[in-house]
Amino acid sequence: QRIVFKLLAELRDAFQEQFKSQVAVTKENGLSRSAKKTLQSLCNKYDDTSRVDNVAKVQAEVDSVKDIMHENLETMLDRQEKLQDLEDKADVMRGEAQRFKKQSTQLKQEMWKKNLKYSIVLFVIVV
């Protein structure tokens, strides 16, 4: 509303300044051609409200920052999900590594026992 009233006040002032003497004696639609340029320039000026109204300009900036913050939050949540997935995979790999270590230690002991057994058998055969 504020912007509309500002446009109307500026339009009134422009008409009073440019067509002061003609307004009282002009017939209906008599100023159409000459007033078209004035109306067109005002329409172009008020087409982007942020150029005319500081509140609208600040609101547009706030909306822009708000959109950026929403994007940042979405990105942060996506990264959080990816980090959680990585942590889960790391836990699985940690468990598999422990199981591998246990199995490799058992296999090492079995192979050591087998090697000892063959060494004893070979020693007995040689002696």
Side-chain angles (χ1 to χ4, degrees):
Q1 286 183 346
R2 194 175 54 246
I3 298 171
V4 173
F5 287 120
K6 194 173 182 179
L7 169 67
L8 290 174
E10 195 169 331
L11 181 62
R12 182 194 64 220
D13 294 343
F15 265 80
Q16 285 178 352
E17 184 179 311
Q18 291 179 356
F19 308 108
K20 190 175 196 177
S21 60
Q22 297 174 4
V23 170
V25 293
T26 303
K27 295 180 183 178
E28 187 176 329
N29 295 328
L31 294 176
S32 294
R33 289 187 179 147
S34 56
K36 185 175 183 178
K37 290 181 183 178
T38 304
L39 286 172
Q40 186 66 38
S41 68
L42 282 174
C43 287
N44 288 338
K45 180 180 177 181
Y46 281 85
D47 192 32
D48 183 12
T49 57
S50 65
R51 291 187 302 184
V52 182
D53 188 23
N54 287 337
V55 173
K57 182 179 181 180
V58 170
Q59 185 62 43
E61 290 175 5
V62 166
D63 290 341
S64 174
V65 170
K66 190 175 169 183
D67 290 340
I68 290 170
M69 291 303 295
H70 280 292
E71 290 173 10
N72 289 344
L73 284 173
E74 288 177 12
T75 302
M76 185 183 73
L77 290 174
D78 288 342
R79 288 181 181 165
Q80 179 65 29
E81 288 176 12
K82 289 178 183 178
L83 282 174
Q84 187 62 42
D85 289 344
L86 283 173
E87 286 178 4
D88 292 343
K89 288 178 183 179
D91 288 340
V92 168
M93 289 179 71
R94 196 173 297 116
E96 289 177 2
Q98 288 175 349
R99 190 180 62 202
F100 176 79
K101 184 178 179 181
K102 184 178 178 182
Q103 287 176 349
S104 65
T105 304
Q106 287 175 349
L107 181 62
K108 182 180 176 184
Q109 289 175 352
E110 287 175 19
M111 295 304 289
W112 184 82
K113 289 177 185 177
K114 217 178 217 184
N115 193 19
L116 180 65
K117 183 177 165 183
Y118 287 136
S119 296
I120 293 173
V121 169
L122 186 64
F123 181 72
V124 169
I125 290 176
V126 171
V127 174

